[in-house]
Amino acid sequence: MKMIKNFSPGSLGINGRQTELLELALTYAFNGIDIDMHEMLRRSLRTDVADAAKYLEAARKAFKIRIGGFDLGINLDADEETFTAALAGLHPIAELAKELGIKRAYTRLPAATDRLPYHEYFEVQKNRLSQVADLLAVREIKLGIGFAAGKELEEGKEFPFIRNVEGFIAMVKGVGSANVGFYVDTWDWVVGDGAMDQFSELTADEIVAVRLCSLRPESDAATAKSNERVLPTLEGGLDHVKVITHLTEIGFSGPVSPGASGSSYKGQTRESIVQRGQVAIDEIFTAAGLTVAPLPKDLIEDIPYEPNPIG
């Protein structure tokens, strides 16, 4: 199975109703989409699972769109009581994801904390991630762990935590669960002192999902903040053509999404941002020797119209 050219709304800093996002994905020839499972659960509790997923299922049947994954929305830096409650809240979400056949979930490591020094906190995080992984494993869902390298994330915190690739690799491999792997963001990889040779050591089984982003040309990786993340270019701090070539060579079949900080494209329409993301990722895929699907001439006709937003 080929890798998924994936539309991740959150990675582009946009949101919308499920039908609107599906239409954007299909209009710009993405064959995968990340979905908001918290919204999906709320829909299913109001009616039932079939009704909640009807737009998604329509897109699956008519256009063979695949689900990339979903963000767990869990705060790994929360106090023990809050984390335990959040973990309990993941059970119905994971159960619904299993019912919908979703195979990947994502979370991100804290960049800094006020709770404990690095080595003690490392053990706390390893334990928490193991609990999350076990919860997902019984539903046959892989956990993709990412990290955040933005310099602003450690401001006001007593203890820095994982903001570099070396610590990131140690944490993910330290969890030791078979269903745990890397959610690689190439912006964080570059800002977090990562190099292509480290990425090239990762196997298809170790990678859950990939997000392609670039650092602004005028930015310094040593001091870069998260809002300096822009849509991916062919080269730069990490050669994206080499990234896709490696993923192809190892047989990676998961989602690859374009990403950028929403603040980078203020004043632009949602459709314009998605189109630019599509152009960026298509250029990279083409340069890596992959064939990209042409854009469809017509918008979605087979997906039911959703007249009102659901809060």
Side-chain angles (χ1 to χ4, degrees):
M1 186 176 288
K2 295 180 180 179
M3 72 180 78
I4 304 169
K5 188 179 102 174
N6 194 59
F7 171 45
S8 175
S11 295
L12 292 171
I14 63 176
N15 53 45
R17 289 178 288 181
Q18 191 179 97
T19 46
E20 294 170 339
L21 297 175
L22 283 165
E23 182 168 337
L24 284 168
L26 296 170
T27 299
Y28 293 102
F30 288 93
N31 61 359
I33 186 170
D34 286 347
I35 64 172
D36 184 342
M37 281 302 301
H38 294 269
E39 179 201 7
M40 189 70 77
L41 180 62
R42 288 192 294 270
R43 287 173 173 265
S44 69
L45 293 174
R46 286 192 179 99
T47 53
D48 55 40
V49 174
D51 184 70
K54 62 185 177 184
Y55 308 119
L56 185 62
E57 291 304 319
R60 276 174 153 179
K61 290 177 182 178
F63 301 97
K64 311 299 183 187
I65 195 164
R66 296 155 67 188
I67 299 176
F70 66 98
D71 193 294
L72 289 173
I74 191 168
N75 178 12
L76 292 171
D77 189 42
D79 60 60
E80 201 62 40
E81 183 179 349
T82 303
F83 173 76
T84 300
L87 191 67
L90 288 183
H91 282 275
I93 290 174
E95 197 61 35
L96 179 57
K98 177 185 177 183
E99 192 169 345
L100 296 175
I102 301 173
K103 298 297 183 183
R104 303 171 196 84
Y106 319 132
T107 193
R108 189 175 267 200
L109 296 165
T113 184
D114 289 323
R115 292 167 54 77
L116 290 166
Y118 188 99
H119 294 292
E120 294 175 60
Y121 196 55
F122 189 95
E123 293 304 314
V124 169
Q125 289 302 313
K126 190 165 72 169
N127 178 263
R128 289 186 170 187
L129 290 166
S130 294
Q131 292 180 67
V132 174
D134 290 347
L135 184 156
L136 296 173
V138 296
R139 279 94 175 184
E140 299 181 340
I141 299 171
K142 295 191 74 172
L143 173 61
I145 301 172
F147 79 108
K151 186 68 175 177
E152 83 285 357
L153 297 172
E154 66 179 10
E155 293 174 0
K157 296 288 185 179
E158 185 174 0
F159 306 111
F161 194 50
I162 292 177
R163 285 189 57 252
N164 60 53
V165 167
E166 183 179 356
F168 176 47
I169 292 173
M171 172 59 78
V172 175
K173 294 195 172 183
V175 175
S177 301
N179 67 319
V180 164
F182 296 90
Y183 185 131
V184 176
D185 180 303
T186 56
W187 187 92
D188 289 309
W189 200 269
V190 169
V191 176
D193 301 321
M196 189 64 209
D197 60 346
Q198 292 165 298
F199 180 76
S200 297
E201 292 175 358
L202 301 181
T203 66
D205 288 340
E206 291 176 317
I207 303 172
V208 175
V210 176
R211 181 165 64 185
L212 305 182
C213 313
S214 287
L215 184 65
R216 287 178 184 169
E218 68 274 16
S219 297
D220 180 356
T223 58
K225 296 183 178 181
S226 301
N227 62 4
E228 296 174 64
R229 181 194 312 265
V230 297
L231 287 169
T233 55
L234 293 177
E235 299 176 354
L238 199 64
D239 188 321
H240 284 128
V241 177
K242 289 183 179 179
V243 168
I244 296 302
T245 299
H246 173 64
L247 293 175
T248 303
E249 289 173 347
I250 63 177
F252 176 68
S253 60
V256 179
S257 313
S261 166
S263 63
S264 299
Y265 304 101
K266 283 184 178 179
Q268 294 189 29
T269 65
R270 185 171 55 184
E271 184 163 346
S272 172
I273 294 170
V274 177
Q275 181 183 32
R276 290 183 64 174
Q278 167 258 314
V279 169
I281 199 169
D282 280 1
E283 286 181 349
I284 293 166
F285 277 27
T286 300
L290 302 182
T291 301
V292 298
L295 300 186
K297 294 181 180 179
D298 302 312
L299 297 179
I300 302 169
E301 296 178 355
D302 296 339
I303 294 182
Y305 175 64
E306 182 183 5
N308 296 305
I310 295 179

